[in-house]
Amino acid sequence: MATPDTTAEFRNAMSLCRDIFSKKLYDYKPSWRMLRPSSLTDQLFIKAKRIRTLEVTGKSLVGEGILPEFMALINYGIIGLIQLEKGYAEKVDMSNDEAMALYDQHAQMCTELMLKKNHDYGEAWRDMRTSSYTDIILTKLERIKEIEDKNGATTVSEGIDSNYMDIINYATFGVIKLTEKNQ
């Protein structure tokens, strides 16, 4: 069996998500600019909670599986990073091209973080269950909610942006594993 190329797999998974993001921009423009960070956190929570429900019950009544939800976590996580950087708007205030440029910038930052952490953790994610990614993501969302409830103040903990990036990276690992499983 060939040695996995984490960088290529990660970039491929991110590319799949970027394609969906681009298509949704075409349909809706960056309407998400109106979402406040707490609303994005709740949207991420809904997606992660649905993944957990599907993992526990093994049953989807709406016909969509876990893979699209991990992909949505990546895209909403990147939207969260954009919103933290730019603040929310009262109306759509950027073009699709500007939104894509910001998406690419934040996706690259997440990729760079993953490469550093993956080196230090020795590809431990490969031996984890995808259900563990879900639990870690839900835990990080609870942490984000706490930080938001404290108006961003922390004493020793990472900020909201770091938690969003970790969510994106764990969700990307989920996409990689589920994509491999489906091949």
Side-chain angles (χ1 to χ4, degrees):
M1 183 170 166
T3 305
D5 181 351
T6 299
T7 304
E9 291 172 326
F10 197 89
R11 287 195 170 125
N12 182 57
M14 291 293 268
S15 177
L16 294 171
C17 295
R18 184 186 191 279
D19 184 56
I20 291 168
F21 185 84
S22 175
K23 288 174 180 171
K24 289 198 177 213
L25 272 179
Y26 177 81
D27 288 346
Y28 306 127
K29 301 207 179 303
S31 57
W32 44 262
R33 286 290 293 133
M34 298 171 67
L35 290 171
R36 291 173 285 180
S38 58
S39 297
L40 276 163
T41 300
D42 286 344
Q43 183 64 29
L44 286 160
F45 176 77
I46 289 167
K47 297 297 183 182
K49 192 71 171 164
R50 182 165 187 274
I51 292 169
R52 188 179 209 165
T53 300
L54 294 175
E55 289 170 344
V56 170
T57 66
K59 184 176 178 182
S60 169
L61 297 182
V62 295
E64 294 177 354
I66 294 171
L67 179 61
E69 298 296 1
F70 272 123
M71 295 172 88
L73 285 170
I74 294 164
N75 286 342
Y76 278 115
I78 291 175
I79 289 169
L81 291 171
I82 294 169
Q83 294 296 81
L84 287 174
E85 177 187 338
K86 299 289 183 190
Y88 68 92
E90 293 300 323
K91 60 181 182 162
V92 176
D93 63 348
M94 70 174 56
S95 70
N96 289 2
D97 289 341
E98 290 170 308
M100 287 307 302
L102 288 167
Y103 183 97
D104 290 341
Q105 172 190 336
H106 288 285
Q108 181 60 36
M109 289 170 41
C110 291
T111 302
E112 290 169 10
L113 176 65
M114 180 282 300
L115 291 170
K116 291 175 186 174
K117 286 189 172 187
N118 195 47
H119 172 271
D120 289 357
Y121 287 92
E123 300 237 333
W125 68 273
R126 290 194 183 276
D127 296 321
M128 294 172 65
R129 299 171 187 94
T130 55
S131 60
S132 295
Y133 305 150
T134 306
D135 292 350
I136 292 168
I137 289 167
L138 284 165
T139 300
K140 291 198 171 283
L141 286 164
E142 284 300 317
R143 291 175 182 175
I144 291 169
K145 287 181 188 181
E146 270 305 306
I147 295 169
E148 288 172 345
D149 290 347
K150 294 176 182 170
N151 296 316
T154 60
T155 52
V156 296
S157 303
E158 296 177 316
I160 294 170
D161 58 339
S162 295
N163 282 287
Y164 276 158
M165 291 175 81
D166 285 345
I167 289 167
I168 292 163
N169 287 343
Y170 278 110
T172 307
F173 294 149
V175 169
I176 292 168
K177 280 216 172 171
L178 292 171
T179 302
E180 287 174 350
K181 191 176 179 179
N182 292 336
Q183 291 177 352

